[in-house]
Amino acid sequence: MSSMKKRIPMFLLALAMMVAMALPTFADSPSVYSSLGDSVSSVQNTYYQLNAATEGTPVAGTLLTMWHNTGSNTQRWDIVTCPGTAYYWFQNAANKSVVISYNGNTQARLAAKNTSTYGIQTQGIKSVTEGNTSEGFVKHGLVLPTYVLCLTASQCSDGSQAQWLASNGKSNQLWIYAKYY
């Protein structure tokens, strides 16, 4: 009987170690979403994604357009909290040093990520939840103090431009985030 009493604690210890090894380990990520970036699609047509319009690595000045899903990192975005604010940087997964920015023109472009207070004010984007789609996806407005990121084409297609315009309350200014791992 005493050898049985010794085996039970050893069995429980071995079982506890097996369970501990089987549990996943979670690490903090700078992105509020996935580590490989998220797609950002228009509510109007989720087949097309917000895209840094380049064949290579995006740089400051790269235009933002819509493009069908190619699986490229130029279509993936890390959504990172701007320090001390309720705003986010949308940094491109293919080049994390560039972010979606308002550059004084309506055409949306990327700019070099700037961590200074001035940079946060011009590059920080508020993500405003605007309810759900009929499929259950959360709709977001991407908002600057005066402008909203919108799709200007009535029909989405490869190369459709994304622009900063005044709010119009229509679906061309609503976006869906999808996680990619």
Side-chain angles (χ1 to χ4, degrees), residues 87-104:
Y87 289 80
Y88 299 92
W89 280 304
F90 283 72
Q91 61 189 27
N92 192 265
N95 181 357
K96 296 179 189 294
S97 67
V98 292
V99 296
I100 298 174
S101 180
Y102 175 66
N103 57 5

Side-chain angles (χ1 to χ4, degrees), residues 28 153 176:
D28 288 339
I176 295 171

Side-chain angles (χ1 to χ4, degrees), residues 32-33 38-40 50 64 76-82 86-93 95-101 109-111 113 123-128 140-144 149 164 175-177:
V32 295
Y33 295 102
D38 300 330
S39 71
V40 177
L50 192 59
L64 296 181
R76 305 292 178 251
W77 305 91
D78 288 332
I79 305 168
V80 181
T81 305
C82 294
Y87 289 80
Y88 299 92
W89 280 304
F90 283 72
Q91 61 189 27
N92 192 265
N95 181 357
K96 296 179 189 294
S97 67
V98 292
V99 296
I100 298 174
S101 180
R109 295 178 183 268
L110 295 177
K113 183 177 176 184
Q123 296 174 342
I125 298 170
K126 195 166 196 171
S127 180
V128 179
H140 300 271
L142 303 182
V143 182
L144 292 171
L149 187 66
W164 293 108
W175 304 88
I176 295 171
Y177 309 151

